[in-house]
Amino acid sequence: MDQALDIERCDLESRINNTTHHTDQNGLDRLIVRRGLPFTITLHLRSGSQFEAGVSTFRLIVEIGPLPKELSGTKSTFSLTDSALKTAWSVSTNSPPGNVVSLSVSSPPDVPIGLYSLTLDQGQKVKLGEFVLLFNPWCDKDAVYMEEERDRQEYVLSQAGLIYKGTTKRIKASPWTFGQFEPGMLDICLKLLDENPKYSSDADADCSGRRNPVYVTRVISAMINSNDDKGVLVGNWSGDYDDGVRPSHWTDSVAILHQWADNCCQRVRYGQCWVFAAVACTVSRALGIPCRVVTNFGSAHDTNSNLLIEFLYDEDGNDISDDSVWNFHVWVDNWMARPDLDAGYDGWQASDPTPQEKSEGVFCCGPVPLKAIKEGELNLKYDAPFVFAEVNADVVEYVKLTNGRMVKMGGSSIDVGHFISTKAVGSDERHDITHLYKHPEGSLQEREVFERAKHHHELQQKGEEPGLKVKIKVSLDMDIGADFDVFAVVTNNTEADKTCRVMFYARIVSYDGKPGANCGFIEDLTMEVPTGKEKRLPLRLEYVDYGDTITSDRLIQLVLIVIESSPREFHKAKRTIVLENPDIAIKLLGEPRVNQKVSAQISLQNPLPEPLQNCFFSVMGASLTDGKLLIQNVGTVGPKQEAKYTVEFTPTSTGSRTLTECSAVALSL
């Protein structure tokens, strides 16, 4: 008769296992492993109890979720075998007879991810402990497998990155701390999955669905925003953030996720697209799904799903339309296989957590294969038409006259989807991935894609054409606090002199295209433009006019409307400029060493002709500031004066680390 093993203790060998499974940055005090790769546990038996191969028998039980079931794959019971299995849970050992038993436990590469319990069953059950199982980009049988190690280092293990903002003329990189391995982050990301409405309605089905990165990505997309669930962030584009944090003030995901979890999942105020995307990237990487943050410049928001951005103006140039083109919009790409689709759609998938339109009744978007977007395959899951319009919609513009007649003023098929950008692998360079989302503008392939996607307009012919041409030119130095000129340029390429009515104005605008107050205006000026000539009209923008109303986006929209007197034709040019902020300087005061305090001096010169009130520096760095946001108030900074702050921190691990304060310095340890 078999004698049960008398277990004194179980060692989950988290130090060895976590290192082998690339989870050691989460810490070594508990077992965190990746699916599809064996891990080792050691049973220490009490004196008098002995394990003997072929004689000692037992079963292991792994369970996930509150109601685990064998049928749904949330529970598995398996006995000792001679070797590991690749398609099912298994346990094997090569231990000789004795009171120490080393077991090798193998998980399949397609089981649900999350928090598991591990139990040994010999007729009586003994709980051995708990472990977290994650997606495994290192396993070629896992749906998130990435072939190149440098890609896994960037898209799974890197805790810092860059997010691109601005305009096509001025692309600016902002540092962000993802911090997916900072203390508490993994538990918060698992909690986020448990707070989604699908878990509340059917916990076992939801846990079972977590085997699939497509399912998990859709849950993340829905839960990062709080529009219809207990999600993390509230979106706010109003400019009023008095009861929360201005979106531009966030520089890391750690503070946001901690605030959400520490306050009983109360939604965090406030976020805009780059904040939503950055937090989604943190959660994805924490769970093992490779992820990158992507910025699309000239990003269309198609409200009626016709793949057209229809702009309607009155005769005074006021925008009275519903559609919009954002100066930039930020989302994420996740890397995964798509067995739910035909072959050829594995790889990068676009997913957008910013709440814009509902998908299957929920504010989420994606994942949709980049290849489907590029080729105009709009019948593929999920939300392909919306993402396609973001990068490739046509723009049509109309003027509604006072008599009610609609006059077409212009249109373009090349205004949307430019400089689609993400951080390069292994460096801080900008990587342009526009070619992954669309064919080159004007190419035959692009035309075929438009036809496949049933676009309503042909590509505009490139190059100059006969007629009146209008454009806006700007100064080289457009710094916040300065006065500068912008120029309306009208060129007459016809054979006759032209008399034109010109309206040229500037107004504050937020990054999502929402207009604010006017800050410069030339109204109803008559201009004579001789044949073959060019006329320039300057518009002076002064800080006294824009300083009180400009937003933290530092964007000013310039609009030029030119109306020919005969024949009566409308011409329009629009350009958005971004004013430059002063650089924040970070200077190390000493040589950084692990577990030794080091200081850095942070300084900023006030560029404005007026004092800055209630100023503070905020500093964050993964493995540098103990997961905390360090804040130092500096009070009032006078005109043209310099503010300084010396911060002290202690690096806790080797490698390249980033200290973030709206600027960054890399520390090599």
Side-chain angles (χ1 to χ4, degrees):
M1 181 177 179
D2 298 335
Q3 184 174 354
L5 302 178
D6 189 3
I7 299 172
E8 180 177 74
R9 64 184 177 89
C10 174
D11 187 348
L12 297 181
E13 306 286 359
S14 58
R15 178 175 294 273
I16 295 173
N17 288 320
N18 290 10
T19 302
T20 303
H21 285 247
H22 308 280
T23 63
D24 50 300
Q25 290 191 73
N26 284 300
L28 302 174
D29 57 344
R30 63 170 175 163
L31 183 59
I32 304 170
V33 292
R34 299 186 187 275
R35 63 186 192 174
L37 182 65
F39 59 91
T40 300
I41 64 173
T42 302
L43 302 180
H44 295 267
L45 309 181
R46 289 188 174 88
S47 177
S49 180
Q50 180 169 299
F51 169 81
E52 186 175 348
V55 176
S56 303
T57 60
F58 57 84
R59 299 187 304 172
L60 292 183
I61 303 170
V62 291
E63 297 172 296
I64 184 174
L67 299 169
K69 300 175 183 176
E70 298 270 1
L71 187 62
S72 61
T74 54
K75 177 180 179 180
S76 183
T77 303
F78 48 100
S79 301
L80 194 64
T81 59
D82 293 334
S83 60
L85 303 178
K86 294 184 178 180
T87 59
W89 285 96
S90 65
V91 57
S92 60
T93 182
N94 292 319
S95 291
N99 62 356
V100 177
V101 189
S102 180
L103 302 177
S104 177
V105 181
S106 295
S107 65
D110 59 354
V111 293
I113 59 102
L115 179 64
Y116 279 82
S117 65
L118 177 63
T119 303
L120 186 139
D121 183 9
Q122 302 177 101
Q124 287 188 334
K125 295 179 180 179
V126 178
K127 186 172 181 179
L128 301 180
E130 293 182 332
F131 64 94
V132 176
L133 188 67
L134 303 177
F135 291 107
N136 191 357
W138 285 264
C139 174
D140 61 4
K141 301 300 182 183
D142 196 304
V144 301
Y145 171 67
M146 297 192 94
E147 186 174 1
E148 297 294 332
E149 175 61 21
R150 68 191 200 106
D151 290 342
R152 296 189 289 254
Q153 291 290 326
E154 180 69 37
Y155 299 127
V156 181
L157 299 183
S158 177
Q159 295 195 79
L162 298 173
I163 300 175
Y164 296 94
K165 306 176 190 177
T167 70
T168 55
K169 301 294 184 181
R170 296 283 182 91
I171 298 177
K172 300 290 288 184
S174 298
W176 190 276
T177 300
F178 298 114
Q180 66 269 27
F181 301 120
E182 288 292 289
M185 282 296 98
L186 179 56
D187 289 331
I188 292 173
C189 294
L190 294 174
K191 181 179 181 65
L192 182 142
L193 298 183
D194 287 348
E195 290 297 332
N196 93 84
K198 294 180 180 179
Y199 182 88
S200 301
S201 61
D202 190 338
D204 189 64
D206 177 70
C207 288
S208 178
R210 296 178 194 179
R211 69 184 65 245
N212 184 357
V214 175
Y215 179 88
V216 173
T217 296
R218 281 185 68 75
V219 171
I220 294 172
S221 177
M223 287 298 296
I224 296 303
N225 71 75
S226 60
N227 280 42
D228 38 26
D229 48 43
K230 295 176 69 176
V232 177
L233 281 158
V234 181
N236 186 346
W237 291 263
S238 70
D240 181 5
Y241 312 107
D242 289 344
D243 58 342
V245 176
R246 183 179 294 272
S248 60
H249 287 179
W250 298 113
T251 58
D252 75 286
S253 304
V254 178
I256 294 170
L257 288 168
H258 267 304
Q259 182 177 327
W260 175 76
D262 294 345
N263 289 282
C264 301
C265 305
Q266 294 296 310
R267 33 190 211 164
V268 178
R269 305 172 188 270
Y270 291 103
Q272 292 181 1
C273 67
W274 67 90
V275 185
F276 288 107
V279 177
C281 184
T282 294
V283 178
S284 297
R285 291 183 182 183
L287 299 178
I289 303 174
C291 187
R292 65 188 183 188
V293 178
V294 174
T295 302
N296 176 41
F297 291 92
S299 190
H301 182 175
D302 180 16
T303 57
N304 59 1
S305 300
N306 66 352
L307 308 183
L308 287 176
I309 302 302
E310 296 158 309
F311 287 136
L312 181 62
Y313 303 90
D314 61 24
E315 287 197 59
D316 293 325
N318 295 312
D319 188 345
I320 55 176
S321 53
D322 293 324
D323 288 345
S324 60
V325 176
W326 296 19
N327 291 295
F328 68 91
H329 182 47
V330 186
W331 58 75
V332 295
D333 286 345
N334 297 100
W335 180 273
M336 67 191 70
R338 292 300 299 267
D340 56 324
L341 304 177
D342 291 338
Y345 292 100
D346 297 344
W348 288 116
Q349 318 281 321
S351 176
D352 191 348
T354 299
Q356 297 176 88
E357 305 292 335
K358 286 190 174 183
S359 172
E360 298 182 337
V362 178
F363 278 101
C364 69
C365 180
V368 57
L370 268 58
K371 182 180 178 182
I373 301 305
K374 183 174 183 176
E375 301 302 333
E377 300 288 353
L378 304 190
N379 61 328
L380 299 182
K381 301 184 290 188
Y382 292 92
D383 311 305
F386 184 81
V387 179
F388 181 88
E390 287 184 304
V391 301
N392 224 350
D394 281 349
V395 175
V396 184
E397 298 181 314
Y398 297 94
V399 174
K400 185 175 182 179
L401 304 180
T402 53
N403 61 9
R405 190 164 66 93
M406 304 288 287
V407 178
K408 184 177 179 180
M409 183 167 59
S412 174
S413 59
I414 60 173
D415 283 353
V416 169
H418 296 286
F419 300 105
I420 303 176
S421 304
T422 191
K423 178 186 173 298
V425 173
S427 79
D428 287 341
E429 298 297 318
R430 184 181 70 87
H431 180 38
D432 194 304
I433 57 172
T434 309
H435 64 286
L436 299 180
Y437 275 89
K438 58 195 297 188
H439 291 285
E441 293 286 1
S443 66
L444 178 60
Q445 296 98 321
E446 186 197 31
R447 185 66 268 149
E448 291 172 349
V449 168
F450 272 112
E451 292 175 357
R452 188 181 300 119
K454 298 179 180 179
H455 266 217
H456 299 161
H457 299 278
E458 297 180 355
L459 288 170
Q460 283 186 324
Q461 186 176 354
K462 291 187 175 182
E464 290 292 327
E465 297 179 0
L468 206 66
K469 301 297 177 184
V470 301
K471 60 184 176 181
I472 299 171
K473 290 192 174 182
V474 299
S475 304
L476 292 178
D477 298 324
M478 297 180 293
D479 299 325
I480 190 78
D483 301 338
F484 55 90
D485 289 323
V486 294
F487 302 90
V489 181
V490 182
T491 304
N492 184 2
N493 288 336
T494 71
E495 297 180 356
D497 295 342
K498 290 290 183 179
T499 301
C500 305
R501 173 188 167 198
V502 179
M503 291 179 289
F504 188 25
Y505 61 91
R507 61 187 177 190
I508 306 300
V509 66
S510 59
Y511 85 96
D512 60 353
K514 185 177 296 183
N518 287 336
C519 57
F521 197 83
I522 295 176
E523 183 178 11
D524 212 12
L525 179 92
T526 298
M527 176 185 287
E528 301 290 340
V529 188
T531 179
K533 299 295 183 179
E534 176 186 282
K535 283 287 187 76
R536 289 193 172 202
L537 179 65
L539 174 61
R540 186 72 170 173
L541 299 185
E542 299 183 350
Y543 179 74
V544 68
D545 295 322
Y546 69 76
D548 290 339
T549 56
I550 196 163
T551 71
S552 58
D553 301 320
R554 311 184 316 282
L555 298 174
I556 297 177
Q557 185 181 75
L558 308 173
V559 179
L560 170 63
I561 297 176
V562 177
I563 306 173
E564 292 183 55
S565 57
S566 180
R568 192 164 188 251
E569 293 185 1
F570 290 79
H571 306 272
K572 182 172 179 286
K574 184 166 62 174
R575 183 169 182 174
T576 301
I577 60 176
V578 56
L579 305 189
E580 296 291 342
N581 260 341
D583 290 331
I584 296 175
I586 303 180
K587 180 181 178 182
L588 278 175
L589 304 177
E591 185 72 21
R593 298 182 185 278
V594 174
N595 296 325
Q596 293 186 17
K597 290 183 178 180
V598 67
S599 298
Q601 186 181 81
I602 304 172
S603 59
L604 169 71
Q605 185 177 27
N606 175 12
L608 304 182
E610 60 189 15
L612 296 174
Q613 307 288 340
N614 302 318
C615 300
F616 64 90
F617 287 106
S618 60
V619 181
M620 175 73 182
S623 299
L624 296 175
T625 61
D626 194 28
K628 299 175 182 177
L629 185 68
L630 306 181
I631 298 176
Q632 175 64 44
N633 293 319
V634 293
T636 299
V637 181
K640 308 301 181 182
Q641 287 186 353
E642 186 178 48
K644 291 184 178 181
Y645 166 43
T646 299
V647 60
E648 190 176 74
F649 54 93
T650 303
T652 57
S653 62
T654 60
S656 179
R657 296 290 178 260
T658 300
L659 187 66
T660 301
E661 166 46 62
C662 301
S663 182
V665 59
L667 309 180
S668 296
L669 305 174

